[in-house]
Amino acid sequence: MRFAIAVALSIAAMPSFATTVPSASASAAKAAATGIPAPEAALAERVLELQSVRIELSGTGTVVSATAAPEVPPSIRSILETAVRGWQFSPRQRDGVAIASWVNASISLTAVPVQEQYRLRVTKVSIADYEMDRMTPPEYPAEAARARRGATVCLQVQVINGVESITGLWVDGKPAAKGDLFARSVRKALPSWRIKSFDPKGSPYAGTLMIPVMFTADRTIKGADDSDAGAAKPWADQCKALMPERVGQVRLLSTPEGALL
C-alpha cells in the first residue's frame, strides 16, 4: 500500500534543459514593439518532482553504479546518474564490518535559468537503505480519532532473516508510555510488514533501522511506504535524531545540496 503527497509542478511541464529561454533584453524589446508584457515566468525558477536513483555501493562507500528510476524523465536521467556516480558514502556495516550494499537516493531539484538555459540545482537529498515490500498501515485509534489527536511514532526495528522485532519505540519524541494508543497500534501492525533491501534481487533487509509513522489530526497515516518519504519532513527528521550512532547505516558524505548539474 502506498501513500502519496501531491507535488505541485510536474517535470513533464518543463521545457527541455537543452532549450534556451528568452533573455531579459529580448523579452523587453518584444514587449516594447508589441505592447505585450514580457513573460517574466519564462525566467523563473521551477520546482520539479522528487526524483529517485538506485545506487550500488562498494564496501568502501564508493558508487559502483547509479540507475535512475523508470519514471525519471529522459531529459535529466543521464544528468542525475552522472552526478550521483561522483558522490561518496560511508559504507553500511554489519557486526562492525563494512559491507557492499544498495541504497536509494530521493533527490529534490529546482530548475534555474543560467545563461539562457535551465540548469538543475540540487535542493535536498535523502538516503534510504531499505524499502517496505509490504506495509499494512496501523489502525487509527478510535479514541484519538474522536479527539482529533495525532502523534508521531518513531519505531526502531531490528531485522534478522526477514523477521522484524521492536527494539525502541517513541511517541512525539519521548519513550512510549505503557498503554499508549498509538504505540499499541503500531506494534499490532508490525507483524504484517515485510522489509527488504534495495538489492535488485529483493533480498530481505538485515540490520537496524528507524521507521517513522505519523498519525495526523485529519485521520490520515503516513509511514515508511510513503511515496514522498525521501522529501524533507520534520517528523522524519525527528525520528532520525533518535537513531543510535552505533547503528551502521549508510550515510552520504558528499554535500550535493546547492550544486548545479
Side-chain angles (χ1 to χ4, degrees):
M1 181 173 182
R2 299 191 65 83
F3 300 91
I5 297 177
V7 179
L9 179 65
S10 169
I11 182 68
M14 287 293 301
S16 167
F17 294 101
T19 302
T20 58
V21 296
S23 66
S25 58
S27 296
K30 182 176 180 180
T34 63
I36 301 175
E40 297 179 2
L43 295 175
E45 292 189 0
R46 304 186 184 188
V47 177
L48 310 185
E49 286 186 345
L50 195 68
Q51 306 298 332
S52 179
V53 179
R54 185 163 296 194
I55 306 166
E56 180 184 3
L57 298 176
S58 70
T60 63
T62 301
V63 176
V64 177
S65 66
T67 306
E71 59 269 20
V72 174
S75 58
I76 66 174
R77 176 181 295 273
S78 62
I79 297 174
L80 281 181
E81 292 175 343
T82 299
V84 171
R85 282 194 288 268
W87 295 354
Q88 183 67 36
F89 297 78
S90 65
R92 188 171 165 214
Q93 296 184 13
R94 181 180 296 162
D95 298 326
V97 178
I99 61 173
S101 62
W102 290 79
V103 298
N104 193 75
S106 296
I107 307 170
S108 298
L109 299 168
T110 300
V112 296
V114 177
Q115 296 181 350
E116 299 187 350
Q117 292 187 7
Y118 277 111
R119 296 280 301 276
L120 297 174
R121 182 173 63 211
V122 179
T123 54
K124 176 74 175 181
V125 177
S126 296
I127 301 296
D129 60 357
Y130 74 95
E131 60 181 330
M132 303 300 293
D133 186 46
R134 183 176 66 242
M135 182 184 182
T136 301
E139 292 184 4
Y140 207 115
E143 181 180 332
R146 285 193 295 269
R148 299 190 62 79
R149 181 166 62 91
T152 298
V153 177
C154 300
L155 181 68
Q156 184 176 305
V157 177
Q158 176 73 34
V159 186
I160 301 176
N161 296 326
V163 178
E164 301 93 13
S165 60
I166 298 174
T167 55
L169 193 58
W170 295 262
V171 177
D172 290 335
K174 298 179 181 179
K178 184 177 180 180
D180 182 89
L181 297 175
F182 296 106
R184 182 189 306 166
S185 177
V186 171
R187 284 184 183 275
K188 185 178 180 181
L190 181 64
S192 68
W193 299 358
R194 183 178 182 274
I195 299 169
K196 67 179 183 179
S197 69
F198 278 104
D199 185 321
K201 297 179 181 179
S203 58
Y205 182 90
T208 301
L209 49 89
M210 185 74 79
I211 300 176
V213 180
M214 184 176 67
F215 297 81
T216 68
D218 61 359
R219 298 188 62 181
T220 61
I221 304 172
K222 304 184 190 304
D225 200 34
D226 190 326
S227 63
D228 197 29
K233 291 187 182 69
W235 54 276
D237 292 339
Q238 174 184 323
C239 291
K240 289 179 182 178
L242 296 168
M243 191 66 149
E245 287 296 326
R246 61 181 173 80
V247 175
Q249 290 186 297
V250 172
R251 290 184 298 109
L252 177 60
L253 300 179
S254 301
T255 53
E257 285 86 356
L260 283 177
L261 308 183

